[in-house]
Amino acid sequence: MGGGRRSDGSSISSSNICSTFWASARRSKPLDPHSPSGGGGVAVRTISGDDEGLIRRLGLFDLILIGIGASIGAGIFVVTGTVARDAGPAVTISFLLAGASCILNALCYAELASRFPAVVGGAYLYAYTAFNELTAFLVFSQLMLDYHIGAASIARSLASYVINLLELFPHVKGRIPNWIGHGGAHFLGVFSINALAPILLLLLTFVLCWGVGESSAVNSFITVTKVVIVIIVIIAGAFKVDVSNWSPFAPNGFQSILTGATVVFFAYVGFDAVANSAEESRKPQRDLPIGIMGSLSVCIALYVGVCLVITGMVPYQLLGEEAPLAAAFTSKGMKFVSILISIGAVAGLTTTLLVGLYVQSRLYLGLGRDGLLPPAFARVHPKRHTPIQSQVWVGLVAAVLAGLLNVRLLSHILSVGTLTGYSVVAACVVALRFEDKPVNQASGCWSSRWVEGVFCLVIVACCGFAAGGIYRFGASYFFLIIPSLIAIIACAALYFRHAYNAPPGFSCPGVPVLPTFCIFFNIFLFAQLHIEAWVRFVVVSLIAIGIYAFYGQFHANPSPEGALYLRAPEMA
């Protein structure tokens, strides 16, 4: 009998644990009660309780340059040529298709950036408000792994490019050991020493800790330099274009164009960094949407210009693998342009790394404020107005990874967080527009109509993955019709069975059709990733759930007593 009582007690205890976890996981961040439309602000908790916080110093031009700085790296000089080897001159169409898809995602980001213009957090904040606490923490976990590995990988590439520049001087060439910048010999399969990469990371971390105004000035200067170099490259190459190289325009058909578009989609990733600058923007409700769309438009123009030049200068079959653009100019006797390209690559990687570290620290700041991470991450320096603890943490993590590991081995599991974040943001646009979403979000009481709408969004995502898998493994296009039709039916249900309110500020057009298309396409791309990336998604999700279960659920407080509802400044 005693054993039976223990069994019952254990059963009751397990039931209590599960119910507590479920209740915590369903919590969401409340909107400003004085703003029924949800545009007034969201609750945040500060550690000191005073006015120590981030400072609004970023103007529209700064935000546009942050987006460009995050998106345009060394890839503009490399990926354009490598994809052109398969797609031919039609690589231009690949970049236009990928750019158009990113614009649709950017419209979703622009609406939410305008709707939540006062607080850092980006996709994490949007998911916390539109859905629930656990979903937000899962989004953060997937994004952060991408950011950590990506920063380490970019730092190693930057170190290699810096060494290449130094070796342009005859007295230096061949005298720098590989372990300093190119990476030492691999041992145990994953370890490879790189001394310069951690130094570069710590220097950029110091710049970011100094202040957002100073780091923005550095980013603006380097980004302008990079854009000027790209424009010079385009103009110089335009005089060497032979239009006969553009024929045939699409030698391998439309499928190679579509495949190229799925590859170059990731070349535009970075515009979402603008949304994470919300709390430091002077006029966020006006400037954030313009900054997101403006930076992406500039990136599309630059990529298309480089594509036209490189495929016009050299027949696409002759483009090199490693440095196709530099090789094209060298073949035309314009080696000085190749040197400019090397400088541009260093500038591109520097700004990409700088903005990436900046975004990471602001995400950690958001979770520290909400209690999902230790309070140290929520502290903002009273004089520098930067989250120094968070910034140092992300810099150290990236420095350790870049200095000791051959992180390029992990490159095939990247982009999971990006595609997950983009899909969730698109879903947030739809969910926050539902007119029947309950006012008391923190209670976890969802209406049946709201649950139905979310279920339709999940169906669209599943159909996108199924279609992507069918396309990836070469099945007949006939089988693509089935998941596509189911996704269309789910979208129709969202359109006809739900009413949608008009958000404050910028409004994404075509809701719910446009966001559901974004979800479908993003998850379609997710299915094109390596199988290891799928495994990574599951493993990271399970680890995140474990961290949330043992720490986050007990410390999180989406609506703390005495919370500050941060608002955007009034637009002039």
Side-chain angles (χ1 to χ4, degrees):
M1 290 178 65
R5 284 192 297 270
R6 285 195 299 270
S7 177
D8 290 343
S10 176
S11 176
I12 293 172
S13 177
S14 299
S15 176
N16 288 338
I17 291 173
C18 292
S19 61
T20 301
F21 175 84
W22 182 238
S24 300
R26 296 174 68 187
R27 291 183 304 218
S28 58
K29 183 179 285 293
L31 293 168
D32 186 343
H34 302 294
S35 178
S37 63
V42 294
V44 301
R45 175 175 55 187
T46 60
I47 296 302
S48 60
D50 54 22
D51 292 330
E52 295 175 8
L54 304 180
I55 189 170
R56 297 191 178 277
R57 297 188 62 176
L58 300 178
L60 176 58
F61 188 63
D62 298 313
L63 295 174
I64 292 175
L65 291 180
I66 284 175
I68 297 173
S71 301
I72 301 289
I76 192 170
F77 305 116
V78 179
V79 72
T80 46
T82 55
V83 176
R85 287 175 60 86
D86 296 323
V91 65
T92 306
I93 306 300
S94 296
F95 271 94
L96 286 173
L97 288 175
S101 175
C102 282
I103 284 178
L104 299 183
N105 282 287
L107 288 170
C108 297
Y109 260 98
E111 174 174 319
L112 295 180
S114 177
R115 191 165 189 166
F116 300 91
V119 189
V120 296
Y124 155 77
L125 171 66
Y126 309 149
Y128 204 164
T129 307
F131 297 113
N132 54 62
E133 195 168 276
L134 181 59
T135 300
F137 192 71
L138 290 172
V139 169
F140 164 82
S141 303
Q142 297 292 347
L143 282 173
M144 201 47 61
L145 185 60
D146 268 17
Y147 278 127
H148 284 318
I149 297 176
S153 180
I154 293 169
R156 290 180 74 100
S157 297
L158 176 58
S160 182
Y161 270 101
V162 169
I163 297 301
N164 288 339
L165 272 182
L166 293 176
E167 289 181 339
L168 291 176
F169 299 96
H171 297 293
V172 178
K173 188 172 183 179
R175 298 187 178 184
I176 302 177
N178 282 339
W179 60 268
I180 290 182
H182 293 301
H186 299 169
F187 53 97
L188 299 180
V190 295
F191 294 99
S192 174
I193 302 299
N194 190 311
L196 183 56
I199 295 173
L200 296 173
L201 279 162
L202 294 178
L203 285 174
L204 293 179
T205 298
F206 174 79
V207 171
L208 289 164
C209 289
W210 192 253
V212 67
E214 292 76 7
S215 59
S216 176
V218 172
N219 176 71
S220 297
F221 174 76
I222 300 177
T223 300
V224 169
T225 301
K226 170 176 61 179
V227 171
V228 169
I229 289 175
V230 174
I231 292 174
I232 291 174
V233 167
I234 293 173
I235 294 174
F239 290 99
K240 298 293 183 177
V241 167
D242 181 357
V243 293
S244 64
N245 290 329
W246 290 336
S247 180
F249 188 71
N252 297 317
F254 180 75
Q255 184 168 358
S256 66
I257 297 175
L258 183 60
T259 302
T262 63
V263 173
V264 304
F265 175 88
F266 302 103
Y268 292 107
V269 169
F271 61 84
D272 51 309
V274 179
N276 287 281
S277 307
E279 205 170 321
E280 292 160 294
S281 171
R282 291 176 190 154
K283 298 179 180 179
Q285 199 158 20
R286 184 201 70 178
D287 292 350
L288 290 177
I290 299 175
I292 291 171
M293 302 302 298
S295 61
L296 184 55
S297 299
V298 172
C299 292
I300 293 173
L302 293 177
Y303 274 120
V304 169
V306 170
C307 288
L308 290 173
V309 164
I310 193 173
T311 55
M313 289 177 63
V314 180
Y316 73 93
Q317 306 96 324
L318 303 181
L319 291 173
E321 287 282 354
E322 295 296 326
L325 192 60
F329 278 97
T330 301
S331 69
K332 298 294 183 180
M334 303 173 71
K335 192 171 182 179
F336 73 95
V337 179
S338 300
I339 297 175
L340 273 181
I341 290 173
S342 297
I343 297 173
V346 170
L349 289 169
T350 301
T351 57
T352 302
L353 187 55
L354 183 73
V355 175
L357 293 172
Y358 165 82
V359 170
Q360 291 178 61
S361 67
R362 271 51 181 181
L363 284 172
Y364 273 106
L365 172 63
L367 270 84
R369 283 174 169 175
D370 292 330
L372 289 167
L373 291 178
F377 290 107
R379 299 188 185 278
V380 176
H381 194 276
K383 292 183 179 179
R384 296 297 171 194
H385 297 283
T386 58
I388 290 182
Q389 284 92 333
S390 296
Q391 197 68 71
V392 170
W393 165 255
V394 299
L396 288 176
V397 170
V400 171
L401 292 175
L404 299 179
L405 301 179
N406 179 25
V407 289
R408 287 190 179 92
L409 292 176
L410 303 177
S411 61
H412 58 281
I413 67 169
L414 289 176
S415 303
V416 172
T418 300
L419 292 174
T420 302
Y422 285 5
S423 302
V424 170
V425 166
C428 289
V429 170
V430 178
L432 288 171
R433 290 274 203 106
F434 288 152
E435 286 191 347
D436 56 350
K437 180 159 176 56
V439 176
N440 187 11
Q441 294 169 286
S443 68
C445 296
W446 299 327
S447 69
S448 58
R449 185 62 63 86
W450 189 86
V451 172
E452 176 193 312
V454 173
F455 182 68
C456 288
L457 294 174
V458 173
I459 289 176
V460 170
C462 293
C463 290
F465 187 82
I470 292 170
Y471 177 81
R472 172 179 178 168
F473 294 109
S476 172
Y477 286 136
F478 172 79
F479 294 105
L480 283 173
I481 298 175
I482 298 174
S484 300
L485 281 177
I486 296 174
I488 290 172
I489 293 171
C491 181
L494 286 170
Y495 185 84
F496 291 107
R497 289 182 54 81
H498 292 269
Y500 298 90
N501 55 42
F506 179 85
S507 176
C508 174
V511 174
V513 176
L514 188 150
T516 52
F517 173 81
C518 290
I519 295 170
F520 184 90
F521 184 71
N522 292 335
I523 303 301
F524 179 93
L525 291 180
F526 184 96
Q528 309 307 309
L529 301 177
H530 289 78
I531 294 179
E532 290 90 340
W534 304 354
V535 175
R536 163 247 155 118
F537 177 82
V538 175
V539 171
V540 171
S541 296
L542 292 175
I543 293 173
I545 291 172
I547 295 173
Y548 177 78
F550 287 101
Y551 182 88
Q553 67 165 323
F554 301 113
H555 295 82
N557 192 354
S559 182
E561 185 178 352
L564 300 176
Y565 280 91
L566 293 191
R567 301 172 184 273
E570 295 296 329
M571 290 188 294

